[in-house]
Amino acid sequence: MAGGFAAGPGGSQHEGKFTAYVAVACLLAATGGLMFGYDVGISGGVTSMNDFLGKFFPSILRKKLELAGKEGNYCKYDDQGLQAFTSSLYLAGLVATFAASYTTQRFGRKPTMLIAGLFFIAGVVFNAAAENLAMLIIGRILLGCGVGFANQAVPLYLSEIAPTRYRGGLNILFQLNVTIGILIANLINYGTDKLHPWGWRLSLGLAGIPAVLLTVGSLCLCETPNSLIERGHFERGKTVLRRVRGTDNIHEEFDELVEVSRLAKSVEHPYRNLFFSRAYRPQLVISLALQIFQQLTGINAIMFYAPVLFQTLGFESDASLYSAAITGAVNVVSTVVSILTVDRFGRRVLLLEAGVQMFLAQVVIAIILGTGLKEDGSQLSHAAAIVVVCMICTFVSAFAWSWGPLGWLIPSEIFPLEIRSSGQSVVVCTNLLFTFVIAQAFLSMLCHFKYGIFLFFASWVLVMTTFTLFLIPETKGIPIEEMVFVWRRHWLWRRFVPPLPQELEAIEMRKSHDAKA
Ligand code: BGC
């Protein structure tokens, strides 16, 4: 996903430089994130290209060309097969996450990344060479398997290889790379649209570059110390730790990793604990809600289908592709804004501000479409079309500095050690499940709800903003081991977490007293 990052094992700071190994690991994050973003961004532009539609979905092309102006605008692209082309990737990713969770534990992060790279390469070959719909869908399914394996292993690899103090930054870096991948895909579509009749093959084939990089990268990098220790290779774990940290002074961190691995193994049923133990209810509810709400903002309706959406609104093919590139660029820039502000303003401020901004933008879009886009096939006026693009950018920017990165960051800050890895898998699965639902349903929903689709998403934004207001506590600057105090102070979540031992309660009271003074 995008993938999120689990925080460091104990939360403690150890000596450790930003070594060449760590730098290479960051590059790897770039390819994993880029690959995912590229797959998210490429399908919308490709499905709006006439050459592509003519080859695989001739009936949609016919509808688009012959019936243009004679029937309603909103249903041009309503087709389950076309939506399956986009959505099959996420369903495959969802299933693959379970297998990936097993291989990361049993065989390590490195082989899992290699499997991801090989799936990606196979998927790209099928897609770029596709002669029929079956090849196209098989290609997407293979890419989806790549996403499942990569999103499980790459974030884990990064969080384990990086020194503790860089872990949070790397978390958002992954998201930044996803948005850059989406932007690159949009720009490439803009260029290949002019290459007839095979431009779409180039669009799909260029995903081969990050795929090969990930594969070669996974062959060159070393396994993480955590994984080696988890699988009983203590001496190798120690050697690798020395190498990646660039110092011989690693004993404290090594002992901590051994202890963490012993503790993790002693938890017998992490998934059962996560779902059924009352004490983990706050973390579970908040993490699931963040993922479900993130998709219900409607962001992927824009990311997947922006060019198609803009054509639906009456833009020419060229104009829709560059409008999509503009929204892609806004997405990248606003993610940088998030990186710069998240630790200053805190998570809640960003989520709440963005909620208001997204709500207003969607309501304005609905009003303009409702009044300007008629059922007789007529198009939006030039001025109205420009306002819609601006409002879509307003919406995307709000998402990109809030729910986009924070949907991944907050879960990684709140799961305690004993359920962190299972929590992370559940988070990734929930994300892919709801991404799949939006990808499969959006064009049909647009056809049936018409402009009301934006009111549908706006209503969800209202729900999630209210949820944030009452149920998401601020996690800025709180070390993982102190999260328990945050739950204890919350009006609702305090009922779920067990009471603290008296002496801890006293320390906490003193701290909050000092803070007030
Ligand atoms: C979401 C993706 C989305 C992307 C857009 C991520 O946080 O998980 O579904 O496509 O943001 O930038």
Side-chain angles (χ1 to χ4, degrees):
M1 43 96 236
F5 291 83
S12 41
Q13 300 279 337
H14 301 286
E15 191 180 328
K17 303 178 200 130
F18 201 84
T19 57
Y21 255 108
V22 175
V24 174
C26 289
L27 280 181
L28 197 70
T31 58
L34 283 182
M35 187 75 221
F36 183 48
Y38 193 87
D39 288 331
V40 167
I42 206 71
S43 52
V46 167
T47 48
S48 75
M49 291 179 193
N50 287 355
D51 292 330
F52 176 87
L53 290 176
K55 189 158 179 66
F56 300 106
F57 302 96
S59 60
I60 304 182
L61 183 63
R62 226 172 304 125
K63 200 152 123 191
K64 186 178 156 187
L65 297 178
E66 291 170 12
L67 304 180
K70 298 199 190 94
E71 66 160 33
N73 278 309
Y74 290 105
C75 297
K76 274 183 206 168
Y77 289 94
D78 177 19
D79 182 280
Q80 291 298 317
L82 187 72
Q83 294 179 97
F85 166 69
T86 302
S87 71
S88 48
L89 188 149
Y90 302 94
L91 197 57
L94 172 68
V95 176
T97 309
F98 294 104
S101 157
Y102 175 76
T103 58
T104 31
Q105 253 182 22
R106 182 82 177 75
F107 305 111
R109 301 23 171 166
K110 187 176 142 115
T112 309
M113 288 191 291
L114 181 62
I115 299 175
L118 295 176
F119 268 125
F120 277 137
I121 294 177
V124 171
V125 170
F126 264 88
N127 265 349
E131 279 306 325
N132 49 46
L133 190 59
M135 279 180 84
L136 207 59
I137 302 277
I138 291 174
R140 290 289 285 179
I141 291 176
L142 289 168
L143 287 176
C145 292
V147 167
F149 278 85
N151 279 15
Q152 180 78 19
V154 175
L156 202 61
Y157 185 88
L158 283 168
S159 68
E160 292 176 348
I161 213 92
T164 327
R165 61 180 174 282
Y166 297 112
R167 280 179 188 139
L170 279 177
N171 188 312
I172 300 193
L173 185 72
F174 189 86
Q175 169 72 13
L176 182 65
N177 283 311
V178 172
T179 61
I180 294 175
I182 297 177
L183 175 62
I184 294 177
N186 287 331
L187 293 173
I188 286 177
N189 278 338
Y190 183 56
T192 59
D193 186 42
K194 297 169 189 68
L195 304 174
H196 301 287
W198 48 271
W200 61 269
R201 288 191 192 276
L202 189 59
S203 283
L204 297 177
L206 283 173
I209 298 175
V212 169
L213 282 175
L214 180 63
T215 311
V216 175
S218 67
L219 285 172
C220 298
L221 289 173
C222 58
E223 186 52 273
T224 68
N226 312 51
S227 171
L228 289 167
I229 293 167
E230 199 180 342
R231 288 175 297 125
H233 308 299
F234 293 99
E235 276 315 307
R236 268 173 63 204
K238 207 180 255 180
T239 314
V240 169
L241 194 59
R242 251 186 236 120
R243 210 152 92 203
V244 296
R245 293 287 175 262
T247 167
D248 280 339
N249 185 12
I250 43 103
H251 303 290
E252 207 182 306
E253 185 172 3
F254 178 78
D255 290 345
E256 189 178 297
L257 288 179
V258 173
E259 175 60 14
V260 162
S261 139
R262 194 191 56 76
L263 213 89
K265 280 192 188 140
S266 69
V267 179
E268 276 189 17
H269 302 288
Y271 284 97
R272 198 191 296 169
N273 287 348
L274 173 62
F275 282 107
F276 299 111
S277 160
R278 230 178 117 74
Y280 300 132
R281 218 41 68 71
Q283 294 91 334
L284 182 68
V285 170
I286 291 178
S287 300
L288 291 187
L290 277 166
Q291 288 300 332
I292 297 170
F293 287 150
Q294 187 199 57
Q295 293 305 313
L296 287 174
T297 56
I299 185 66
N300 278 328
I302 312 274
M303 291 300 137
F304 296 153
Y305 297 118
V308 168
L309 183 69
F310 287 128
Q311 286 205 4
T312 299
L313 305 183
F315 287 37
E316 296 294 316
S317 169
D318 214 27
S320 12
L321 285 168
Y322 77 63
S323 305
I326 293 174
T327 52
V330 168
N331 195 15
V332 175
V333 174
S334 307
T335 306
V336 176
V337 172
S338 185
I339 296 175
L340 298 177
T341 56
V342 71
D343 284 322
R344 188 161 336 141
F345 300 149
R347 286 76 173 130
R348 273 171 63 82
V349 169
L350 290 180
L351 289 172
L352 294 172
E353 184 282 335
V356 176
Q357 187 171 327
M358 289 193 289
F359 178 81
L360 293 177
Q362 284 170 326
V363 170
V364 173
I365 295 173
I367 293 173
I368 296 179
L369 299 193
T371 52
L373 198 62
K374 297 286 175 269
E375 267 307 88
D376 60 6
S378 62
Q379 299 180 347
L380 281 184
S381 72
H382 188 60
I386 290 180
V387 179
V388 170
V389 175
C390 290
M391 282 300 121
I392 288 185
C393 289
T394 307
F395 164 76
V396 170
S397 65
F399 174 88
W401 62 55
S402 61
W403 291 86
L406 300 184
W408 298 105
L409 180 67
I410 296 177
S412 85
E413 294 180 322
I414 60 177
F415 280 122
L417 180 68
E418 63 278 15
I419 51 157
R420 195 168 305 155
S421 126
S422 43
Q424 186 62 17
S425 307
V426 170
V427 163
V428 175
C429 283
T430 313
N431 179 273
L432 291 175
L433 177 64
F434 279 79
T435 308
F436 163 77
V437 171
I438 296 286
Q440 187 62 39
F442 176 69
L443 294 177
S444 305
M445 282 164 75
L446 181 67
C447 174
H448 292 107
F449 290 5
K450 306 191 166 46
Y451 62 87
I453 184 85
F454 289 97
L455 296 178
F456 170 80
F457 288 131
S459 321
W460 279 111
V461 170
L462 206 61
V463 173
M464 65 190 79
T465 308
T466 315
F467 180 91
T468 307
L469 191 62
F470 292 108
L471 296 177
I472 303 186
E474 183 56 67
T475 52
K476 176 184 105 179
I478 309 222
I480 273 181
E481 59 274 24
E482 287 182 22
M483 268 311 291
V484 64
F485 299 128
V486 175
W487 307 126
R488 290 295 305 156
R489 251 182 268 132
H490 190 271
W491 67 273
L492 176 69
W493 301 129
R494 66 188 318 156
R495 294 167 210 220
F496 292 87
V497 289
L500 296 172
Q502 267 178 353
E503 62 275 30
L504 282 181
E505 190 84 76
I507 296 174
E508 174 58 6
M509 295 236 313
R510 206 171 324 123
K511 262 195 196 163
S512 82
H513 183 262
D514 289 349
K516 272 185 207 137

